[in-house]
C-alpha cells in the first residue's frame, strides 16, 4: 500500500511501527529499537538492535525487514533520504545504518520517527507492527476498520478499534 494523503499517513502510522516514534511531547523516542543506536565512525555508521517485537501475523520483526523497508523507500519515487548509503544486517536483530555523511543522533532519531520509514515485512502493506491491525477495507465507502493489536510491544491500545472513513486512498 502507498499513502497518498494525510488520512493515508494517519492510517499507515496506526498499522505500522518504525525504529523511532514521536511521543506525546513531540520528541522522538525508540519504538522498534531496543535502545538508541550507537555511533561508530564519527556518526557515519550507527549500530542498532531491535527489541523483541512481532507483526500482527505473529512473525518477529527482523533486521532484514529494516534493510528491505529502507531499500524500498530509496528506490521509490519519493526517495528523500540520500544520505543513507546502506543498511548492513549483522544478525536477525542487529544492523548498521551506514551514511555518506555524518549524522547527529538527535537528527537521526527525528528522521527515523517519520511514518515514511515504518518497518514492514513485505507484501501488500496490510501487516504491520503498529498498535492497530487492519481487519477490513471497503473501497466503495473509503473505510478502513482497525482492531487493537492484543500483543503490541508497547502494550495493548486503550481503544478496541477504529474505523477511518473518507479521504483514504490506500490501495486495499
Amino acid at each position: 500500500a502507498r499513502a497518498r494523503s494525510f488520512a493515508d499517513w494517519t492510517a499507515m502510522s496506526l498499522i505500522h511501527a518504525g525504529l523511532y516514534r514521536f511521543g506525546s511531547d513531540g520528541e522522538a523516542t525508540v519504538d522498534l529499537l531496543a535502545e538508541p543506536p550507537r555511533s561508530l565512525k564519527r556518526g557515519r555508521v550507527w549500530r542498532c538492535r531491535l527489541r523483541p517485537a512481532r507483526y500482527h501475523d505473529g512473525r518477529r520483526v527482523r533486521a532484514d525487514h529494516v534493510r528491505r523497508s529502507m531499500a524500498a523507500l530509496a528506490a521509490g519515487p519519493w526517495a528523500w533520504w540520500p544520505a543513507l548509503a546502506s543498511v548492513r544486517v549483522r544478525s536477525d536483530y542487529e544492523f548498521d545504518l551506514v551514511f555518506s555523511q555524518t549524522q547527529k543522533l538527535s537528527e537521526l532519531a527525528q528522521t527515523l520517527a517519520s511514518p515514511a520509514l515504518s518497518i514492514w515485512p513485505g507484501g501488500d502493506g496490510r501487516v504491520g507492527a503498529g498498535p492497530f491491525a487492519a481487519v477490513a477495507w471497503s473501497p466503495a465507502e473509503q473505510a478502513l476498520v482497525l482492531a487493537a493489536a492484543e500483543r503490541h510491544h508497547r502494550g495493548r491500545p486503550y481503544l478496541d478499534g477504529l474505523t477511518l472513513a473518507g479521504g483514504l486512498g490506500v490501495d486495499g
Side-chain angles (χ1 to χ4, degrees), residues 12-93:
M12 298 305 275
S13 68
L14 293 170
I15 297 169
H16 297 283
L19 300 176
Y20 272 79
R21 67 181 174 85
F22 289 112
S24 59
D25 61 357
E27 293 297 316
T29 183
V30 293
D31 193 1
L32 290 176
L33 290 178
E35 62 209 4
R38 266 183 319 143
S39 174
L40 307 172
K41 299 188 181 184
R42 299 182 185 195
R44 291 190 62 184
V45 176
W46 290 88
R47 174 93 15 105
C48 303
R49 189 169 53 86
L50 293 168
R51 73 173 58 239
R54 295 191 179 273
Y55 294 107
H56 304 137
D57 63 4
R59 287 181 285 172
R60 286 284 310 263
V61 176
R62 295 190 330 254
D64 62 319
H65 300 151
V66 174
R67 181 181 40 76
R68 185 180 317 131
S69 298
M70 299 290 179
L73 178 70
W78 298 350
W80 53 269
W81 202 13
L84 180 64
S86 67
V87 177
R88 288 192 308 235
V89 173
R90 300 180 51 78
S91 71
D92 280 351
Y93 308 108

